[in-house]
Amino acid sequence: MHVSLIRRQLGGIIPPKIATPSHLTSGSGANLTPLVNFYSKLPKGPAPSTVGGIKARYFNGKNASGAPLVWTILGIFGLGYTVDYQMHLKHHKNHAH
């Protein structure tokens, strides 16, 4: 891979180089305002807990419902019947015993 391609891909992850060694050693804090502005925009504190998944969406809270369970059972039944039909039943549909 080319170096420029790697830099472009990692550009969103690695913060830009705002503070240079000359800014840090000069003793004046005025040159660090871009760095302070950059870090002041970042979120503070712990990351919010994300409760997700199927259980949180369908079975907990105000939207609690058993519909996903019913649709899962019907889907498995429909898939099983389709497989049975393709493997066995379609060969016997015109041959009455």
Side-chain angles (χ1 to χ4, degrees), residues 25-47:
T25 57
S26 66
S28 66
N31 292 336
L32 294 178
T33 54
L35 182 67
V36 171
N37 289 336
F38 174 76
Y39 282 104
S40 66
K41 294 176 186 172
L42 295 176
K44 294 165 183 61

Side-chain angles (χ1 to χ4, degrees), residues 11-95:
I13 299 172
I14 300 172
K17 186 176 179 183
I18 298 173
T20 60
S22 63
H23 287 156
L24 297 175
T25 57
S26 66
S28 66
N31 292 336
L32 294 178
T33 54
L35 182 67
V36 171
N37 289 336
F38 174 76
Y39 282 104
S40 66
K41 294 176 186 172
L42 295 176
K44 294 165 183 61
S49 62
T50 56
V51 179
I54 294 172
K55 182 178 179 187
R57 183 178 292 163
Y58 296 111
F59 298 113
N60 293 341
K62 65 179 181 175
N63 294 328
S65 171
L69 185 61
V70 172
W71 282 109
T72 302
I73 291 170
L74 290 174
I76 291 172
F77 174 77
L79 182 66
Y81 185 80
T82 303
V83 169
D84 270 350
Y85 182 79
Q86 292 297 325
M87 301 296 281
H88 178 74
L89 295 176
K90 78 175 180 180
H91 300 295
H92 297 286
K93 72 178 181 180
N94 294 327
H95 301 299

